Amino acid sequence: MNGILYLEDGTVYKGKGFGKKGTSVGELVFNTSITGYQEILTDPSYAGQIITMTYPLIGNYGINSSESESSKIYAKGLVTKSIDQNPSNYMSEYTLEEMLQKMGIVGICDVDTRSITKRIRNEGALKCIISNEDLSMEQLDEILKEKKLKEDWMKIVGTKEVFHIEGKGPKIAVLDFGIKQNILNNLKYRNCDITVFPYDTSYEEIMNSSPDGVLLSNGPGNPKAATEAIETIKKIIKKIPTFGICMGHQVLSLAVGGDTYKMKYGHRGGNHGVYDITRDKAYITSQNHGYAVDRKSVEENGMEITHINLNDNTVEGMRHKELPVFSVQYHPEGAPGPTDSTYLFDKFIDHLKEGDKCL
Ligand SMILES: NC(=O)CC[C@H](N)C(=O)O
């Protein structure tokens, strides 16, 4: 099966097709993780994106049924240097190719992923079309030009129904913009009683569940498209301890009156150095975001910057100067990946005990 990746700047990469036979349009991004292709593909925050893995050997330990971040793949395609068809791992149940076929995802391999990555770094994230069908360049060009990229993916990906995960510990209301399973696992591990709400649930409905704390989840798309949530969060943070992760961090910054912007090519990988100003410590973190928080805009609105990215000095974490409200741009739950930052879940739970500070 032939495969082609055609970028909006006119660049063409030809390789071999794998996964589902088909064609799709998306935003081309790259991820620098060496392992974790299963979690990356199933992370709902990749909705609408075509992921290039910079590590050349992908698929080598197969796929298992217990480590997906969601039951679906919302990404639009996968680009790799090579794909291993004979995985070796005691947990492996099927191959990556079988997973992509089952989930309807188009893949191409045997392309120069280093060159693709350099192009994204120079030009920024690009719209592109990936295909492993026999379409002419004219046909590909027409589909690429016609298809618009979405910004409000949280409307599609987040839960539509409220659901509850029982626990004996603190009551957590989660606003779901497209949550990763491992965030829920971290709350479950700490015995939390979790109610997951659609991201646009009203303030009143959330408060009716009498939560001790609110978690604002990760999720795909532009945080500015989550307008309903921004209004709700403005009220929530005055009453309840709140912890935001990635999209949650971005919508929190909008709720306090700050601003977000689209980065040139984002941060995606398991090796991003972050400096924690409050603890004078550096961590290696797992990241997946294309938008970032404007530092000055949140500092002018009652927030203090707690973490910065060591590569480009962008905001990686913040906390409210008076309220028990804090957030990080990176993924403390990231797995596989460094566990340096899972203490943030404990910090959140500790804040709940001090909930009276909010009133
Ligand atoms: N992982 C996330 O929550 C991503 C947040 C947002 N969609 C971004 O790309 O910046």
Side-chain angles (χ1 to χ4, degrees), residues 108-159:
I108 72 161
C109 60
D110 266 9
V111 286
D112 184 350
T113 48
R114 182 181 296 232
S115 149
I116 295 170
T117 303
K118 282 185 170 169
R119 189 159 288 278
I120 301 171
R121 285 187 59 128
N122 290 336
E123 299 197 24
L126 291 157
K127 186 162 105 167
C128 71
I129 185 163
I130 185 175
S131 178
N132 52 28
E133 299 178 292
D134 288 322
L135 297 183
S136 67
M137 282 313 290
E138 288 72 31
Q139 285 171 308
L140 291 172
D141 198 51
E142 201 177 311
I143 305 170
L144 178 63
K145 289 207 171 105
E146 194 184 297
K147 190 101 186 163
K148 296 265 171 301
L149 298 183
K150 266 188 204 309
E151 296 210 326
D152 56 355
W153 279 105
M154 68 293 289
K155 297 199 164 117
I156 295 164
V157 169
T159 184

Side-chain angles (χ1 to χ4, degrees), residues 45 218-221 246-247 250 288-291 331:
S45 296
N218 68 292
C246 209
M247 173 63 95
Q250 298 167 354
N288 166 24
H289 64 109
Y291 292 84
H331 288 274

Side-chain angles (χ1 to χ4, degrees), residues 19-169:
K20 185 202 161 200
K21 200 168 172 61
T23 300
S24 63
V25 173
E27 181 187 41
L28 186 62
V29 297
F30 66 88
N31 185 304
T32 53
S33 296
I34 291 171
T35 58
Y37 50 81
Q38 176 171 344
E39 290 86 340
I40 291 163
L41 274 166
T42 55
D43 174 351
S45 296
Y46 282 102
Q49 295 173 333
I50 293 175
I51 309 165
T52 305
M53 297 300 294
T54 59
Y55 188 69
L57 181 61
I58 298 297
N60 50 329
Y61 55 89
I63 299 287
N64 63 64
S65 55
S66 60
E67 287 178 337
S68 287
E69 291 290 0
S70 75
S71 56
K72 285 194 191 145
I73 298 181
Y74 293 98
K76 290 285 184 187
L78 180 65
V79 181
T80 62
K81 174 72 191 150
S82 69
I83 166 144
D84 196 325
Q85 302 289 12
N86 297 299
S88 168
N89 184 277
Y90 74 105
M91 283 174 79
S92 175
E93 292 164 45
Y94 40 96
T95 66
L96 174 58
E97 164 128 52
E98 283 162 350
M99 182 198 205
L100 296 186
Q101 281 166 348
K102 203 165 92 188
M103 305 265 204
I105 306 299
V106 182
I108 72 161
C109 60
D110 266 9
V111 286
D112 184 350
T113 48
R114 182 181 296 232
S115 149
I116 295 170
T117 303
K118 282 185 170 169
R119 189 159 288 278
I120 301 171
R121 285 187 59 128
N122 290 336
E123 299 197 24
L126 291 157
K127 186 162 105 167
C128 71
I129 185 163
I130 185 175
S131 178
N132 52 28
E133 299 178 292
D134 288 322
L135 297 183
S136 67
M137 282 313 290
E138 288 72 31
Q139 285 171 308
L140 291 172
D141 198 51
E142 201 177 311
I143 305 170
L144 178 63
K145 289 207 171 105
E146 194 184 297
K147 190 101 186 163
K148 296 265 171 301
L149 298 183
K150 266 188 204 309
E151 296 210 326
D152 56 355
W153 279 105
M154 68 293 289
K155 297 199 164 117
I156 295 164
V157 169
T159 184
K160 305 283 174 292
E161 308 286 333
V162 179
F163 64 93
H164 183 233
I165 304 165
E166 214 173 296
K168 300 214 181 319

Side-chain angles (χ1 to χ4, degrees), residues 339-358:
T339 50
D340 305 26
S341 296
T342 46
Y343 78 91
L344 288 166
F345 288 99
D346 300 316
K347 181 176 159 179
F348 178 43
I349 309 285
D350 286 346
H351 268 317
L352 309 184
K353 296 174 197 150
E354 299 160 19
D356 52 344
K357 272 197 350 197
C358 292

